[in-house]
Amino acid sequence: MNKIRKLVGFAAALAFAMVMLPAAAFADTTQYDLFVNGEQFTSEKLTIECGEGTATYDPATQTLALNSASITNAADYGGINSKLTGDLTITLQGSNYITFDDNMGIKALGNIEIQGPGSLAINVAGETMDGISVAGDVSVRATSLAVKAPGGVGIASDGTVSIDNAQVTSAALYAGIDAINLIIENGSVVDISAAEDNRNAAFISSRGGTTGGDLRITNSSVVAKSFFPGLFADGNLAISGGSVQSTSTADSALWAGGDLTIGDNAHVTLDGKYPSGCNGNFTVYAAEIDAKNTNVENIPAIFDNPTIGNDFDLTYAVAVDSEGATIDLIEHDGAERAKGFLNLYKNIHFVTGEKSATYSFPFTKVVKKGGDVAPGTQEFELEIFNVGVGQIEDYTNVTVTATVTTNGAGEYEGLLTIQGPKSQIRDITCEGFCVREKNTGVANWTYSDAVYQIFCYEYEIATDGQSATQSSYDIFPVKLVETDNGAFYEKTQDTPVASMTFENVYTEKAAPAANDKPATDNKPAASTKPAANNKPTAGNIPQTGDSSALTIEFAVLLMAAGALTVAIAAKKMRKGHDVH
């Protein structure tokens, strides 16, 4: 019985203890599908030591923060192995490293983005071992990434690789970058290469029924080198601004299965054994292209003659023929004919620039005299505003001149001229623009408040079997009208005017002449004053022939006499008072 009692007591104590334990003691530990340096992140372990640094995971945002991490271990494939279904963001602080003799650097089932002020160096060896292998997209933004994969691909993606304002190097066996699409933009600096024969530094191609194969480089610096074309796009290849150097040691330096477009003042250097080009349309806008063919055979550097955009001109074209002779094509053939010869030479270096466009609009300056003084020499200036796209201040390459110098009252003719790159002139004029006079606040002038709106048009005409672009315009007087949606300039008439008119009035008043002012110094001279001994006496009043003057003099004498009588009487009264 005692044993039974002891067992019952023990069971009761155990039950009580179990009740008293916190609920957390029974909670399951969550395991996340993310492994770093051979360890898995869990809800109990969100930081993993990586050498002297750390890797910290935030499951709420699916962000992995590397802080001076050195990753040398792997549980499976990849020093970072993500089996997450969502996106993984990798942020970098300090210098981070992934190093293996026979494994991958990063492997992920979803999209990954690498960013942050730090850097990441991936150095992996082993047959078919990639630096980065991702089933989704790869984004590298505002950071530094260096990949070496001498047995595989540097960056392999079944989606799009985007490099945005980042520094990226990727040297590998099969390809520096292998993806469905590649975008390099915003001042990125990229150096990619492939060491294996019959491979590309950048191999961009759609696969598995997906659409893509496009490669776009915008305002960035790219160097690509490989056996086959350094840059290969199964779709379209576009280079806009920046600089690109593409080299092939045995084939075309650069090739696109679709269209090839180069513009926005890009500087492109091509070096290959066979011509560079595309299967689609090759179009050049503003660019500098230096293409060389290093083949011992007499093979041109460019596959097909490029089309130079309508708004652009060939400004420089120097070729080297098979015998090593240098030819200035523009000097030899003229710019227009030279456009058709760019694909005929082993070496061709040519520059294209945007055409300049000029619009001129007449105006009349009317000067009127509104005061006493005639207007002298004066300069007046017009300004344009409410342009088609943006603000006129945005167009630093466009020159606007609209001044006229007047000299006196009358009418003066002037021209408002807008000159600059054709595309920018088109943007300014595409929806019409307004013109008014600048009020420079010169004294005595009134300024015109007239406003005009000008609409420009372009049209094609055929001349000798060739088309040429002509332009025209309409000028309308307008006024500012308040509406429920704001204030807008509206036409005051439906019929355009031939010229703009601005009227100014000069209003200066003339100062009074010196002899019209009251004299302030014409006082009587001392010799003209009556002398003291020449004063008239009471008994000798001069006769002036004016009876009124005589009457006044008698009145004065009578008043003097009265005053004398009063004085005598007062004297007697004072004496009488004293005696009394």
Side-chain angles (χ1 to χ4, degrees):
M1 289 296 294
N2 289 334
K3 289 183 179 181
I4 295 174
R5 290 193 186 97
K6 288 181 180 180
L7 289 173
V8 171
F10 176 76
L14 180 61
F16 178 77
M18 295 291 288
V19 171
M20 295 302 294
L21 282 174
F26 298 96
D28 293 333
T29 298
T30 302
Q31 294 183 327
Y32 301 109
D33 289 331
L34 179 62
F35 300 80
V36 171
N37 205 29
E39 296 187 57
Q40 184 176 16
F41 286 105
T42 70
S43 56
E44 297 299 315
K45 189 170 188 178
L46 294 175
T47 296
I48 295 174
E49 291 186 2
C50 301
E52 296 183 357
T54 58
T56 302
Y57 179 58
D58 180 359
T61 60
Q62 293 200 165
T63 298
L64 174 65
L66 301 183
N67 192 342
S68 300
S70 180
I71 300 172
T72 57
N73 299 309
D76 189 4
Y77 282 103
I80 298 174
N81 187 350
S82 173
K83 300 177 182 179
L84 299 170
T85 56
D87 300 342
L88 174 65
T89 300
I90 302 173
T91 63
L92 306 176
Q93 294 286 341
S95 299
N96 301 274
Y97 302 91
I98 302 176
T99 307
F100 287 109
D101 290 333
D102 191 15
N103 211 317
M104 295 185 181
I106 298 175
K107 184 180 179 183
L109 294 180
N111 303 326
I112 69 166
E113 178 173 319
I114 303 173
Q115 61 177 13
S119 63
L120 174 60
I122 300 174
N123 193 339
V124 296
E127 187 177 352
T128 69
M129 293 300 173
D130 300 336
I132 298 175
S133 181
V134 177
D137 299 333
V138 176
S139 300
V140 185
R141 304 189 188 282
T143 194
S144 178
L145 172 66
V147 180
K148 291 183 180 179
V153 175
I155 301 173
S157 168
D158 288 334
T160 296
V161 172
S162 300
I163 302 174
D164 182 356
N165 186 30
Q167 293 185 335
V168 174
T169 61
S170 183
L173 180 64
Y174 300 120
I177 298 176
D178 184 332
I180 291 178
N181 297 294
L182 174 59
I183 300 170
I184 303 173
E185 58 188 350
N186 294 329
S188 294
V189 178
V190 177
D191 190 330
I192 52 178
S193 60
E196 179 74 5
D197 289 351
N198 305 326
R199 302 292 179 173
N200 307 95
F203 180 75
I204 310 304
S205 175
S206 59
R207 62 205 68 172
T210 61
T211 59
D214 295 335
L215 195 164
R216 185 175 79 241
I217 301 171
T218 305
N219 294 326
S220 297
S221 175
V222 176
V223 176
K225 185 176 181 179
S226 52
F227 182 95
F228 274 171
L231 298 175
F232 173 81
D234 190 37
N236 301 322
L237 197 161
I239 301 172
S240 179
S243 65
V244 172
Q245 298 179 37
S246 189
T247 301
S248 169
T249 58
D251 205 276
S252 305
L254 172 151
W255 193 263
D259 295 336
L260 173 60
T261 304
I262 303 174
D264 200 20
N265 296 308
H267 187 175
V268 178
T269 302
L270 305 175
D271 191 331
K273 298 285 188 182
Y274 286 90
S276 296
C278 62
N279 291 331
N281 298 316
F282 181 12
T283 307
V284 176
Y285 298 101
E288 180 176 359
I289 299 176
D290 191 356
K292 297 179 181 179
N293 191 319
T294 55
N295 200 314
V296 294
E297 303 294 333
N298 184 21
I299 300 175
I302 295 178
F303 175 74
D304 198 5
N305 201 62
T307 298
I308 297 177
N310 289 334
D311 292 342
F312 299 85
D313 277 325
L314 187 66
T315 60
Y316 176 90
V318 173
V320 177
D321 64 15
S322 58
E323 298 178 355
T326 300
I327 305 171
D328 187 326
L329 298 181
I330 294 179
E331 183 180 294
H332 187 268
D333 301 300
E336 286 303 313
R337 284 177 56 83
K339 291 179 182 179
F341 303 150
L342 301 178
N343 65 323
L344 302 181
Y345 299 91
K346 283 179 66 67
N347 296 350
I348 181 68
H349 184 187
F350 65 95
V351 179
T352 56
E354 189 171 2
K355 292 180 180 178
S356 178
T358 302
Y359 273 111
S360 292
F361 312 97
F363 68 91
T364 301
K365 172 60 60 183
V366 178
V367 175
K368 293 184 177 181
K369 176 183 174 184
D372 301 323
V373 179
T377 301
Q378 183 60 45
E379 183 179 87
F380 297 95
E381 185 176 2
L382 307 183
E383 63 181 354
I384 68 176
F385 65 103
N386 279 13
V387 299
V389 178
Q391 305 295 325
I392 188 60
E393 293 79 12
D394 300 333
Y395 296 92
T396 57
N397 295 326
V398 174
T399 301
V400 179
T401 55
T403 59
V404 63
T405 301
T406 64
N407 189 7
E411 294 188 0
Y412 300 85
E413 304 301 323
L415 283 177
L416 165 65
T417 301
I418 307 174
Q419 185 175 36
K422 194 169 183 179
S423 63
Q424 296 187 31
I425 298 298
R426 185 179 291 117
D427 286 344
I428 290 172
T429 61
C430 63
E431 297 178 7
F433 62 94
C434 292
V435 182
R436 64 190 171 198
E437 183 178 59
K438 282 187 179 180
N439 186 339
T440 54
V442 178
N444 300 315
W445 282 100
T446 63
Y447 288 85
S448 174
D449 58 1
V451 179
Y452 294 87
Q453 191 169 22
I454 301 178
F455 297 91
C456 300
Y457 312 96
E458 287 186 350
Y459 56 93
E460 298 288 328
I461 61 171
T463 305
D464 297 331
Q466 305 216 355
S467 64
T469 302
Q470 298 292 324
S471 60
S472 64
Y473 59 85
D474 288 329
I475 303 174
F476 294 92
V478 294
K479 66 178 180 180
L480 192 63
V481 176
E482 293 287 346
T483 71
D484 294 338
N485 297 322
F488 300 94
Y489 283 96
E490 294 184 356
K491 299 176 185 178
T492 59
Q493 62 186 55
D494 294 330
T495 304
V497 297
S499 176
M500 299 174 284
T501 301
F502 301 92
E503 182 178 294
N504 302 85
V505 181
Y506 190 66
T507 60
E508 184 178 0
K509 300 292 184 180
N515 56 3
D516 292 337
K517 296 179 180 179
T520 59
D521 56 353
N522 291 339
K523 297 178 180 178
S527 59
T528 62
K529 293 181 179 179
N533 56 2
N534 290 333
K535 291 181 180 179
T537 60
N540 187 21
I541 300 173
Q543 300 297 316
T544 63
D546 189 347
S547 60
S548 62
L550 181 60
T551 303
I552 292 171
E553 290 181 0
F554 275 117
V556 171
L557 289 174
L558 289 174
M559 290 175 64
L564 181 59
T565 302
V566 171
I568 293 172
K571 185 176 182 181
K572 287 182 179 180
M573 289 178 64
R574 286 198 296 272
K575 286 183 178 180
H577 178 74
D578 292 339
V579 174
H580 182 76

